[in-house]
Amino acid sequence: MNITLDEIQNFIAVVDTGSITAAAQQLDQTVSAASRTLGRLEQKLSTTLLRRTTRRLELTEEGEAFLERAREIVAAVEGAEEQMASRRSRPAGRLRVDAASPFMLHVVVPLVAGYRVRYPDVELELHSSEGYIDLLERRTDVALRIGRLKDSTLHARPIATSRVRCLASPAYLAKAGTPRKVADLAKHSLLGFTEPDSLNHWPVLDQKGQNVHIRPTLSSSSGETLRHLALEGNGIVCLSDFMTRADRASGALVPVLEKHWSEQRQPINAVYYRNTAISARIASFVSYLVEAIGDDGFEF
């Protein structure tokens, strides 16, 4: 049957204005076009909706029944349009966010309460993945990724950058001594990553002016695990500022080989598929993160 919304609106306009001529003017159509649209609707319904006389139009019994449903259909469509417009101005609905556990715990979770106050109609669903995920397969709206991006199918919005530093607990340094030059690292317990190995390139320069690649004494796939190992005095670690801001502020972790540091920052991006029109939910969440993190990032 395939009745269209235009045909329904045309029929209602004819009834409400009392004539095809008046309906055509209201809909900015020609009289012949409005008449053809009404005829096409009656043909699809296999019934007569209006009796045409030389003086006026009268609804048939079938026309009265159809008019009631037609008004309900148009009202439902208009209501849906209003709801979508409202969502654009006031984000609503479920938002699935994915991030590595350390970023989720140290950055996202502390900001959730403030975001929910500002956008109470958004239903946050938070997931943690240590590796890169397929956003479509995992039904994820936006992922927060740390490091250089490789996937060209993704649209990225920069969130912040986070400096990488070498740190250790005062207890460890009291026990093992404080390294004064980069070569001293060979005498220490070094906490590093099982993967990717690129994270074991530390931002301290050797005598040749190159970043040191360490061989971990104790290793883990999780930066959060390495952080806790360092806090418990198990060795020297190299981690991103977003994980260690509170530890550095409290003195639980202190800088090591600070005079030999090179500037190394990890980019942090919010990513989603390029062929996905950015929803108000995604835009609100990403903008809130940028605002909350601020220009200073994770420095103190």
Side-chain angles (χ1 to χ4, degrees):
M1 187 179 295
N2 299 323
I3 295 172
T4 68
L5 184 61
D6 285 343
E7 291 166 348
I8 293 174
Q9 290 173 321
N10 181 83
F11 168 64
I12 294 174
V14 170
V15 173
D16 289 345
T17 61
S19 74
I20 294 176
T21 301
Q25 291 175 345
Q26 178 178 302
L27 297 172
D28 196 22
Q29 296 178 354
T30 63
V31 174
S32 59
S35 181
R36 285 195 303 271
T37 301
L38 179 59
R40 188 166 58 246
L41 176 62
E42 290 181 320
Q43 185 177 11
K44 289 180 179 180
L45 293 172
S46 300
T47 191
T48 300
L49 299 174
L50 290 163
R51 294 190 187 93
R52 301 163 179 82
T53 69
T54 55
R55 302 184 63 179
R56 61 177 180 171
L57 296 174
E58 292 182 350
L59 281 168
T60 64
E61 185 176 341
E62 290 79 12
E64 289 180 356
F66 184 74
L67 178 62
E68 182 180 351
R69 297 303 303 274
R71 293 195 191 280
E72 292 176 357
I73 291 169
V74 172
V77 171
E78 290 175 348
E81 290 177 342
E82 289 176 2
Q83 185 179 40
M84 290 302 100
S86 176
R87 282 194 174 208
R88 286 193 294 271
S89 60
R90 180 169 178 165
R94 182 170 298 177
L95 180 67
R96 297 178 178 90
V97 180
D98 184 274
S101 296
F103 195 81
M104 184 68 75
L105 292 172
H106 292 280
V107 181
V108 177
V109 170
L111 298 178
V112 164
Y115 176 80
R116 293 184 67 197
V117 169
R118 186 177 297 184
Y119 303 105
D121 297 327
V122 176
E123 303 168 17
L124 279 177
E125 189 176 294
L126 305 178
H127 298 269
S128 294
S129 302
E130 301 313 314
Y132 281 7
I133 64 165
D134 185 314
L135 271 64
L136 289 179
E137 183 180 320
R138 295 287 289 273
R139 298 178 64 204
T140 298
D141 297 304
V142 59
L144 305 170
R145 292 186 172 174
I146 302 161
R148 189 174 301 172
L149 295 174
K150 299 178 182 179
D151 193 340
S152 61
T153 65
L154 296 174
H155 176 80
R157 178 177 174 185
I159 298 295
T161 62
S162 184
R163 188 173 184 179
V164 179
R165 306 177 196 244
C166 296
L167 306 163
S169 70
Y172 172 80
L173 296 176
K175 175 181 64 177
T178 301
R180 302 299 177 187
K181 53 185 184 292
V182 176
D184 292 344
L185 289 175
K187 305 173 186 177
H188 283 267
S189 174
L190 306 180
L191 311 178
F193 288 85
T194 55
E195 59 178 354
D197 186 58
S198 60
L199 294 177
N200 293 323
H201 287 273
W202 285 12
V204 289
L205 301 178
D206 61 17
Q207 292 180 339
K208 297 180 181 179
Q210 297 178 337
N211 286 350
V212 172
H213 180 260
I214 64 112
R215 183 175 181 180
T217 310
L218 186 58
S219 59
S220 172
S221 61
S222 166
E224 189 63 20
T225 298
L226 293 177
R227 171 179 167 267
H228 281 278
L229 287 170
L231 288 169
E232 294 297 327
N234 286 285
I236 302 173
V237 74
C238 185
L239 294 173
S240 193
D241 275 359
F242 74 81
M243 295 179 61
T244 63
R245 183 174 183 176
D247 302 325
R248 289 179 285 114
S250 68
L253 292 176
V254 297
V256 173
L257 295 171
E258 195 169 5
K259 292 182 180 180
H260 299 274
W261 284 353
S262 63
E263 180 74 11
Q264 181 174 317
R265 290 181 175 272
Q266 293 178 320
I268 302 169
N269 290 281
V271 299
Y272 51 91
Y273 275 97
R274 287 188 184 277
N275 59 358
T276 301
I278 185 167
S279 71
R281 296 187 301 279
I282 294 176
S284 70
F285 185 76
V286 173
S287 296
Y288 186 83
L289 287 183
V290 172
E291 176 188 334
I293 292 171
D295 295 335
D296 293 335
F298 308 100
E299 309 278 347
F300 68 86

